[in-house]
Amino acid sequence: MMIRTRRSRTVAVAAVVLISLTAAGCSKNAGGSSASKSAGPSAAPVALAGSVTFNQTNLAKLDAALKSALAGKDLSKVDIAMVVNVAADYWKAGQVGFLKGCSDLGISKSKCTYFAPPNGKLTEQNSELETLRSQGVTGYSISAIDPTSAAGTIHTDVQKGIGVLAIDSPLPGTDAASLYLGTPNYTAGFQAGTAMKQVLGGKGKVAILVGSLTASNATQRIAGFEDALKGTKITVAQKVNDNLQASTATSDAETILANNPDVTGLYGVYSYDGPALAQAVTSAGKTASVHIVSDDSDAQTLKFIKSGVISGTVVQMPYQQGYTGAYILAAEKVLGKAATTAIIKPYLEKDGSTLSSGVGLVTKSDLSAYQSLESQLGIG
């Protein structure tokens, strides 16, 4: 069924939450750029130590600047939406952030729509965009299922004066390519590859499972992952598209393990992939010989980290994608595109188009500290 959620409760969240869990592995600067790399593959698999530094300080300053610029302005005509790519636990934090951002700006809850395609289908996402358009939406943030297919729709909407903000996955080649709010995906993939290199001791064969082989976030993460493995004796045996279906990811992983006994590592790129791969490895009785590195902080993923089935997961901050996204969409409607862009510019990364929400690695050693952060944000 269609998930269309309105805000129903207040979530108490600190204006700035900056947490740095165990300073080991691969350290990050505020923009998510790689500040150091692993010293090289070890002779045997090793335990991982996590390192997470999100970018809340920078984004909180931007939020404050946008809110100040909006002070005293009429926001009654603002009608915004957050449209994501699948109904997954990963997006719960984004939903909370978006609705909290609307509340903090004083935007009527009837004018803030959150939508997650229940089956991760392009037709579902497109249908919702049509509905929003017919209801007079003034702007929306979107994690596009297929950026190429979305290009025409985005062009039409931008020409009509509707604001479009890329979140989670950039939108290159579209009218929304100039600004991206989310994870530096190449860096996320590089960190996952560095983790895999460590747990495999620099040698072995891995398979990559992902919900899309065309979405920008997926291609960038995979590129970073593969680059991190260069110079090692680790090879990528397969890249498999599970089409945003957890059950397909599990069956694909089961097939890979059955037909490739020399595969010793699995990388799950989308949020549901971690638990799906963990189930497959557990069923195959290979939890001691096959190491999993995943992305995102799905609740089941964290449980598998606690039990040791998943070695580590590269986490993002979808909460801020929702929260800051609401501020940007409101500002574009009230202040105009040019004025909003001028406010945002000092907070961009060096590429001139990315507002990083940060990225890092969570492992068993710092799991409780990360879960404490989730609790502070009202998403745990």
Side-chain angles (χ1 to χ4, degrees):
M1 71 181 192
M2 184 173 76
I3 300 176
R4 193 182 182 97
T5 308
R6 305 292 185 184
R7 189 173 192 277
S8 60
R9 66 186 181 89
T10 300
V11 182
V13 184
V16 178
V17 180
L18 179 61
I19 182 169
S20 181
L21 307 177
T22 312
C26 181
S27 62
K28 300 285 168 183
N29 63 21
S33 304
S34 180
S36 63
K37 297 183 180 180
S38 169
S42 58
V46 297
L48 294 174
S51 177
V52 177
T53 303
F54 291 124
N55 198 25
Q56 265 89 324
T57 298
N58 190 48
L59 292 182
K61 291 177 181 177
L62 170 59
D63 296 338
L66 290 170
K67 191 169 187 178
S68 177
L70 288 168
K73 300 291 194 302
D74 180 11
L75 274 67
S76 63
K77 294 182 180 180
V78 173
D79 191 329
I80 57 178
M82 181 178 185
V83 180
V84 301
N85 57 359
V86 67
D89 284 349
Y90 166 78
W91 282 116
K92 178 183 176 184
Q95 176 187 354
V96 171
F98 177 68
L99 298 177
K100 182 66 166 67
C102 287
S103 176
D104 285 356
L105 287 171
I107 302 172
S108 169
K109 58 186 178 182
S110 65
K111 296 296 185 69
C112 293
T113 302
Y114 170 84
F115 176 79
N119 299 300
K121 299 293 186 183
L122 181 61
T123 52
E124 295 171 335
Q125 193 174 66
N126 287 342
S127 177
E128 175 63 9
L129 291 179
E130 290 178 7
T131 299
L132 290 170
R133 203 174 297 118
S134 69
Q135 294 175 344
V137 70
T138 60
Y140 59 85
S141 59
I142 183 170
S143 175
I145 293 174
D146 185 341
T148 301
S149 297
T153 297
I154 291 172
H155 176 73
T156 299
D157 287 342
V158 170
Q159 291 299 308
K160 290 181 178 179
I162 298 173
V164 181
L165 172 65
I167 57 170
D168 186 57
S169 183
L171 289 168
T174 75
D175 286 20
S178 62
L179 180 61
Y180 163 61
L181 169 60
T183 302
N185 288 295
Y186 176 88
T187 300
F190 192 93
Q191 194 164 32
T194 299
M196 185 66 77
K197 179 169 59 177
Q198 291 175 333
V199 295
L200 293 186
K203 59 183 179 180
K205 186 177 290 187
V206 302
I208 300 172
L209 293 94
V210 61
S212 170
L213 287 171
T214 58
S216 297
N217 58 351
T219 58
Q220 290 172 4
R221 289 185 212 175
I222 292 171
F225 181 83
E226 292 181 312
D227 281 354
L229 300 181
K230 289 180 178 178
T232 72
K233 294 181 180 180
I234 301 173
T235 59
V236 176
Q238 289 179 265
K239 301 175 190 175
V240 182
N241 180 8
D242 53 57
N243 292 304
L244 294 167
Q245 300 296 317
S247 58
T248 301
T250 299
S251 61
D252 286 344
E254 290 172 342
T255 299
I256 290 169
L257 295 175
N259 296 337
N260 302 272
D262 54 347
V263 166
T264 54
L266 297 174
Y267 172 39
V269 183
Y270 277 13
S271 63
Y272 57 82
D273 281 319
L277 305 190
Q279 291 170 19
V281 169
T282 300
S283 297
K286 294 187 174 183
T287 57
S289 59
V290 176
H291 301 274
I292 300 171
V293 174
S294 62
D295 281 344
D296 305 326
S297 56
D298 182 281
Q300 291 300 312
T301 295
L302 299 183
K303 287 182 180 179
F304 280 117
I305 286 178
K306 185 175 182 179
S307 68
V309 177
I310 295 178
S311 297
T313 191
V314 177
V315 292
Q316 307 178 70
M317 187 47 73
Y319 174 91
Q320 205 68 45
Q321 295 176 36
Y323 190 90
T324 299
Y327 275 59
I328 291 172
L329 292 171
E332 287 186 344
K333 171 59 180 175
V334 176
L335 306 176
K337 178 78 171 180
T340 302
T341 299
I343 295 172
I344 293 172
K345 187 176 180 180
Y347 304 93
L348 294 173
E349 299 299 296
K350 291 181 179 179
D351 65 4
S353 63
T354 299
L355 278 173
S356 172
S357 51
V359 63
L361 182 71
V362 169
T363 66
K364 189 174 183 178
S365 66
D366 46 44
L367 178 59
S368 61
Y370 178 73
Q371 289 177 316
S372 176
L373 169 60
E374 287 195 320
S375 180
Q376 290 179 56
L377 292 174
I379 58 177

